[in-house]
Amino acid sequence: MIERVRVAVAGVGNNTSALVQGIALCRQTGSLVGVRRAVIDGLGVGDIDFVAAFATSEEKIGKDLTEAIFMAPNNFPRLDCDLPRADVSVTKGLVDATEVDRVAAALAGAEVLLYSAPSGRPETARAYAEAACKAGVAFVNTTSDAIARDPMWAERFQVAGLPLLGDDLASQFGTSVVHNALLRLLEERGLTLVSSYQVNVGGTEDFRNLVENSNTKKQSKLNALSATDKVELAPLGYLRHLKSQKVAHLNIEAQGWGETAISLDVKLKVHDPSGAAGVNIDLIRMAASALRAGRGGCLPEASSLLKSPPGTAI
Amino acid sequence: MIERVRVAVAGVGNNTSALVQGIALCRQTGSLVGVRRAVIDGLGVGDIDFVAAFATSEEKIGKDLTEAIFMAPNNFPRLDCDLPRADVSVTKGLVDATEVDRVAAALAGAEVLLYSAPSGRPETARAYAEAACKAGVAFVNTTSDAIARDPMWAERFQVAGLPLLGDDLASQFGTSVVHNALLRLLEERGLTLVSSYQVNVGGTEDFRNLVENSNTKKQSKLNALSATDKVELAPLGYLRHLKSQKVAHLNIEAQGWGETAISLDVKLKVHDPSGAAGVNIDLIRMAASALRAGRGGCLPEASSLLKSPPGTAI
Amino acid sequence: MIERVRVAVAGVGNNTSALVQGIALCRQTGSLVGVRRAVIDGLGVGDIDFVAAFATSEEKIGKDLTEAIFMAPNNFPRLDCDLPRADVSVTKGLVDATEVDRVAAALAGAEVLLYSAPSGRPETARAYAEAACKAGVAFVNTTSDAIARDPMWAERFQVAGLPLLGDDLASQFGTSVVHNALLRLLEERGLTLVSSYQVNVGGTEDFRNLVENSNTKKQSKLNALSATDKVELAPLGYLRHLKSQKVAHLNIEAQGWGETAISLDVKLKVHDPSGAAGVNIDLIRMAASALRAGRGGCLPEASSLLKSPPGTAI
Amino acid sequence: MIERVRVAVAGVGNNTSALVQGIALCRQTGSLVGVRRAVIDGLGVGDIDFVAAFATSEEKIGKDLTEAIFMAPNNFPRLDCDLPRADVSVTKGLVDATEVDRVAAALAGAEVLLYSAPSGRPETARAYAEAACKAGVAFVNTTSDAIARDPMWAERFQVAGLPLLGDDLASQFGTSVVHNALLRLLEERGLTLVSSYQVNVGGTEDFRNLVENSNTKKQSKLNALSATDKVELAPLGYLRHLKSQKVAHLNIEAQGWGETAISLDVKLKVHDPSGAAGVNIDLIRMAASALRAGRGGCLPEASSLLKSPPGTAI
């Protein structure tokens, strides 16, 4: 029987809530709904144990992980399953390099550190990567801050024989995935794109942060689209009542034979944290499997799950 | 300079209107909007001349092809370009084998016969195929009646050294294309389909005929979908005021990680005849090119443009 | 303290399920969600007791009303509340006049008979009306079969001092309500309607029956719309997986100043049986209140809740 | 035969383009499409002549009004009708009180001054009002800057016997009109609102300005909605390719009987300038009619066409 993966999480937000609850659901019911790969190198969805958790919110610190995931501003729903206590007390996270040793000590026994804090805190990201290195655990960077695509870090993990996966999670099923698929379809069928837009609204704390930094995000999303100047993005909108849901309205205006009009209107509604957890479950298993096999550095097999894998611009 | 393809059409409905007008538009403006392949074996979109046209409607017979295409019940719009007379008078078409010789004589000088009548008239389809054989012209069957997938006919055209393309046009960009692309995308991303539906409404005469035979069509569309019992089709609806447009409403309900809900709603609006003409323009050029190269029988390169190519069930 | 209304139901389908469960929910939680009038003549939503129930399905007969409402083909969801047994055993219903006396006897003690069978069985409707008359209870006809708008019946109930409410329930919030409101709004604002369509799909047994009789229903819906020949209805579609939900897709194309285009696209999703129960709860209380006040015959105050009140064509 | 109204316009943007072209279309074809009131006090839609036009853009000054309306950043489409020259040369507009006399002189012969500049320039608005007073012409303020609802101005126009109409045009058919109508409908039918949102994207220069001042506008739109904290507005989005069109996506989530879910999704697409011109045509005729009748000051009959009529907060 396979040994369970021992995972530490840095960040106890909605994405961690979805991950922790989804694993519990799978263990209880055997459900593989929404799971991309049932087994990766022998590791099932339920073969994950949480052994440490770090957060910065005073309220969450000291709570069991399975309680902390429901505390504000988290708003991912409570799934319909039993959730046994994790017996993991949330610990004070770090912000910069001054406390790396404390965190590294707390990582003893872990195999993978899932770094799942908000994007845009590069110093914090580097401090956790440092702690992972010191503690000898694999590192998964789900944020857009540059770690795996920074050659210095890639080499450090390579030398240390520790897997490094990142950067920036590609959601399992988000707006760009659908928008791109439809734009590609148009092109394959020989239609001519006239104009297209994408409007995204959502209710998570992450979304609220993005709205405040929307110019950056908007540009990054345009990069993600097979972007021409025919595709426009409206500013992101934070709508409190959507909670952990995101809604996208897409429009595509095109022309077919004889320059006749073709239009496509799409409404997409998803739970953002589910889209993240559905990818994290794969990254964690890839990281653990590589660690156990003694493979250090960046993992090519993870690239398709990431927006900015090694080799992309920092 | 390449010699233009000499085409005869059997059927002067909306699809022929779109084809005739779209070629004129391309010649006048050079527009390649909505064109899948600008050049096929040296043949451009404008390299098509109509040399004969057959219809059954009394009003259309005797008119120039460029007038007949605007007569009721045709309702494809008049495109925004000059349309020089074709100097091709619409001739009485045939219904069964009794007049094959007359039609074969009228085909003299043509290279390709595009059979573009309503589906569901197998005897008529066979009579035109017979006439094509006799006249020594390539045959393109855009209807669902079995010609190219009937081994007897395939062999006859093979022996005669005449290309045979068919059966049943796959629209350039229709509901099934979009629905399938989205269902496939879901699967690729590991989501679990819960249910899906498709509602189609349209205003062409073809659509009205389909509504009356909707059970057959419904089944054929279900076959076209990567169908499970989770995908349902509502009955087709004929809505006069849509004219040559078709509107489809698609809904997809799925589940992602943690069994959370994902929904996709799509509205697609297209001109049905444009979707047909955009494929016919490729089939005609393939047929002419093969004929000139002395290749008879079915053409593998045409299969992806057809719903029921040779080898599929009759 | 007010005396509870004693209600008998003929028909144990989805609409009865929604009514029975919704009353239980209101009693348990005090919820007035979706309730149009909290109190009618002193009667609250929870002031209804079921004292008899009739059905034709062999499976339902003999079951407690609170069990029978969940039996196939019923597919209205189980609401999230406790549902105490009604202690009312479902009895064999009647089909024609031969068993009126048996049913009348079973109505002893009831104040209101809610006739909630499928439409299109006029003989059955008349037999239940007859039984109500004999038993001295008020009659609510929710079907489109003519009872209240038949002067003969109106007079009989008038003479007997028994309230008669009908015919044909106007749903609390259906497609026509929304479509009409938008068409009226356009007119008020001076826009010019170009064309409009309505597509309805649903998954109840009632819906399946309507699909089979769609021509009739289609006409009746067109009557319900401020219909001009610019408004078209697509055929109703039965989609099993929608269960008790109905989905409508509406489109309105109009023109404003300068003949510029204005378009409105609407998707409406509702639970059909809730739309019926939300009206039945008012009709029952009106009926009981009139009966207790000694008012017989048709009730003007009920007209706005009905599609075919007295005075409309039979 | 009625004397035509002599109108001066301050501002030669999209709204003026729609007004000028729409009047020409009506004269040429007699079309009353999208016209709320064919005749007001004997004045038809075609009974308007432009006699002066003011603008600040260097490119527009000196051009005939019928040329200037098509100059950037205007992007309202060219309507499908002949547009005879107005023989009105666009004159340099004013910015503040220093040039009131010049403009007043240029207003000689006009009956109505339509002030149609961007909102948010109160000093300019007051200067034009001053010029109108001096020249003895009626004043229509389509901006949100306070003139008609400022008691000082109301009294000045009253005393001078000159009509004053304002402030802030209520669009003939905009997002708030539709959203409010649906929220009201829900309430009338007894449904319970759970949450609702509105997303607006558009491509006019006005829209781009609004996006930059979106907080103010957002609040004003929330005021326009029967606003509770259940209705949220996403930030406005400027999408260049929409040109003079605005698109709104509305969502309404509600509950009906039994707390079952009801949802409404709406896409609305309109030409913003048409919505303004369709109201301006009525305000101009009301102003001229009152002037000719010797009625000065604010006109109660105009209130329903304005967002901030006299009596509302400044």
Side-chain angles (χ1 to χ4, degrees), chain C residues 95-229:
Chain C
V95 171
D96 54 35
T98 59
E99 298 190 280
V100 165
D101 289 339
R102 179 178 58 78
V103 165
L107 287 173
E111 294 174 281
V112 178
L113 172 57
L114 178 71
Y115 177 62
S116 185
S119 290
R121 304 174 183 176
E123 208 178 343
T124 310
R126 288 191 294 262
Y128 274 109
E130 180 78 38
C133 253
K134 286 208 172 172
V137 313
F139 189 68
V140 178
N141 175 30
T142 70
T143 73
S144 61
D145 298 314
I147 302 290
R149 67 188 191 280
D150 178 337
M152 186 276 285
W153 282 106
E155 199 187 325
R156 274 194 66 183
F157 276 82
Q158 171 76 50
V159 167
L162 298 172
L164 173 61
L165 293 80
D167 303 320
D168 207 1
L169 215 58
S171 175
Q172 191 178 357
F173 197 79
T175 318
S176 301
V177 167
V178 174
H179 205 166
N180 269 328
L182 291 172
L183 291 174
R184 217 163 40 225
L185 187 65
L186 240 75
E187 206 181 331
E188 276 170 28
R189 310 297 289 196
L191 304 185
T192 302
L193 180 64
V194 173
S195 66
S196 185
Y197 70 73
Q198 187 189 110
V199 182
N200 289 279
V201 290
T204 64
E205 196 61 18
D206 274 7
F207 216 86
R208 188 209 283 264
N209 292 332
L210 286 175
V211 170
E212 286 163 16
N213 306 299
S214 59
N215 289 340
T216 326
K217 180 68 181 180
K218 198 171 159 181
Q219 191 51 49
S220 125
K221 281 190 79 76
L222 269 175
N223 291 344
L225 287 170
S226 48
T228 68
D229 64 348

Side-chain angles (χ1 to χ4, degrees), chain A residues 220-300:
Chain A
S220 124
K221 281 191 79 76
L222 269 174
N223 291 343
L225 287 170
S226 49
T228 69
D229 64 350
K230 291 182 177 169
V231 180
E232 293 187 278
L233 296 189
L236 298 172
Y238 169 73
L239 298 179
R240 185 181 39 76
H241 77 254
L242 287 178
K243 295 186 185 144
S244 73
Q245 291 176 115
K246 183 168 71 177
V247 175
H249 295 281
L250 309 179
N251 169 258
I252 296 176
E253 301 289 336
Q255 287 184 324
W257 175 261
E259 304 191 354
T260 56
I262 290 169
S263 69
L264 260 170
D265 281 286
V266 180
K267 182 187 179 186
L268 169 67
K269 194 170 179 178
V270 297
H271 278 275
D272 243 10
S274 289
V279 175
N280 279 335
I281 190 69
D282 290 357
L283 292 174
I284 288 169
R285 292 181 290 171
M286 287 174 179
S289 175
L291 181 81
R292 291 175 182 185
R295 295 170 58 208
C298 294
L299 303 184

Side-chain angles (χ1 to χ4, degrees), chain C residues 12 53-64 68 71 89-93:
Chain C
V12 183
F54 306 95
T56 50
S57 146
E58 289 300 328
E59 288 78 27
K60 289 175 184 166
I61 294 168
K63 299 288 186 308
D64 190 76
M71 301 179 78
S89 192
V90 175
T91 315
K92 188 169 188 305

Side-chain angles (χ1 to χ4, degrees), chain A residues 194-199 201 211 218 229-242 247 249-251 253 265 267 269, chain D residues 194-199 201 211 218 229-242 247 249-251 253 265 267 269:
Chain A
V194 173
S195 66
S196 185
Y197 70 74
Q198 186 190 111
V199 182
V201 289
V211 169
K218 197 171 159 180
D229 64 350
K230 291 182 177 169
V231 180
E232 293 187 278
L233 296 189
L236 298 172
Y238 169 73
L239 298 179
R240 185 181 39 76
H241 77 254
L242 287 178
V247 175
H249 295 281
L250 309 179
N251 169 258
E253 301 289 336
D265 281 286
K267 182 187 179 186
K269 194 170 179 178
Chain D
V194 173
S195 66
S196 185
Y197 70 73
Q198 185 190 111
V199 182
V201 289
V211 170
K218 198 171 158 180
D229 64 349
K230 291 181 177 169
V231 180
E232 293 187 278
L233 297 188
L236 298 172
Y238 169 73
L239 299 178
R240 185 180 41 74
H241 76 254
L242 287 178
V247 175
H249 295 282
L250 309 180
N251 169 258
E253 301 289 336
D265 280 286
K267 182 187 179 186
K269 195 170 181 179

Side-chain angles (χ1 to χ4, degrees), chain D residues 37-53:
Chain D
R37 298 178 59 186
V39 177
I40 295 183
D41 295 336
L43 294 163
V45 168
D47 295 332
I48 311 284
D49 276 335
F50 292 95
V51 298

Side-chain angles (χ1 to χ4, degrees), chain B residues 179-233:
Chain B
H179 204 165
N180 268 329
L182 292 172
L183 291 173
R184 217 163 40 225
L185 186 65
L186 241 74
E187 206 180 331
E188 276 170 29
R189 309 297 290 194
L191 304 186
T192 302
L193 180 63
V194 174
S195 67
S196 185
Y197 70 73
Q198 186 190 111
V199 183
N200 289 279
V201 289
T204 63
E205 195 62 15
D206 272 6
F207 216 85
R208 187 208 285 266
N209 291 333
L210 285 174
V211 169
E212 285 162 17
N213 306 300
S214 60
N215 288 340
T216 327
K217 179 69 181 182
K218 198 172 159 181
Q219 191 51 49
S220 124
K221 282 190 78 78
L222 268 175
N223 290 344
L225 288 170
S226 49
T228 68
D229 63 350
K230 292 181 176 170
V231 180
E232 293 187 277
L233 296 189

